Amino acid sequence: MSKFHDKFDSLVWEIVAGIPPGQVMAYGEVARVAGFPRYSRMVSGAMGRAPEPLPWFRVVRSNRTLAFEPGSKSYREQVQLLKQEGVRFEGPRVIAVNPTETLDKMLWGPEV
DNA sequence: CCCTTGACTATCT
DNA sequence: GAGATAGCCAAGG
């Protein structure tokens, strides 16, 4: 039995496992890197089927919010695990340890 | 085979 | 920038 996701799943697991601590990736990014551009929704399924523990908490929505319902058990767990790695929270949005996509830091340098 | 469901996204208001 | 809308695609009923 080889369903479509046999390959997809293992790719996702590999990619997710490769996300460095303090860094986050969107579902769509993972899917795209895996070579399946429109499979963002499938990424969650793949992680749920992972045979061994994955840093699933490093995968967030494209808008940098968490995919779980705020207040839910998984949501709180994810928040804690992320904070534990130094990830900051700006309201519901997560700020990776090294947010290279913001020009502010490049222009103004690390203030803090 | 049609319809619904998701740990989603891009786009428009 | 938040909320609504329309795509998206495999799985399961």
Side-chain angles (χ1 to χ4, degrees):
Chain A
M1 54 171 269
S2 75
K3 298 186 177 179
F4 109 94
H5 55 250
D6 284 352
K7 193 61 169 287
F8 180 74
D9 282 11
S10 26
L11 284 172
V12 169
W13 300 337
E14 213 175 321
I15 295 166
V16 172
I19 304 175
Q23 189 73 313
V24 297
M25 231 172 148
Y27 292 86
E29 291 183 77
V30 175
R32 180 158 39 75
V33 172
F36 297 78
R38 296 295 183 280
Y39 285 59
S40 50
R41 296 191 101 123
M42 310 297 108
V43 173
S44 54
M47 291 195 288
R49 289 188 293 272
E52 55 179 278
L54 283 181
W56 56 271
F57 52 88
R58 298 188 190 135
V59 183
V60 300
R61 292 210 181 103
S62 60
N63 59 3
R64 306 278 115 161
T65 61
L66 304 191
F68 293 100
E69 173 152 4
S72 67
K73 186 184 179 191
S74 298
Y75 185 94
R76 293 195 304 275
E77 184 181 358
Q78 185 168 16
V79 170
Q80 187 188 331
L81 288 168
L82 286 174
K83 282 185 175 176
Q84 188 176 301
E85 297 190 338
V87 173
R88 299 186 303 104
F89 275 81
E90 194 172 273
R93 307 241 185 101
V94 310
I95 309 296
V97 172
N98 186 7
T100 51
E101 41 239 308
T102 60
L103 295 179
D104 296 19
K105 293 295 173 67
M106 294 179 63
L107 298 176
W108 289 90
E111 304 268 327
V112 190

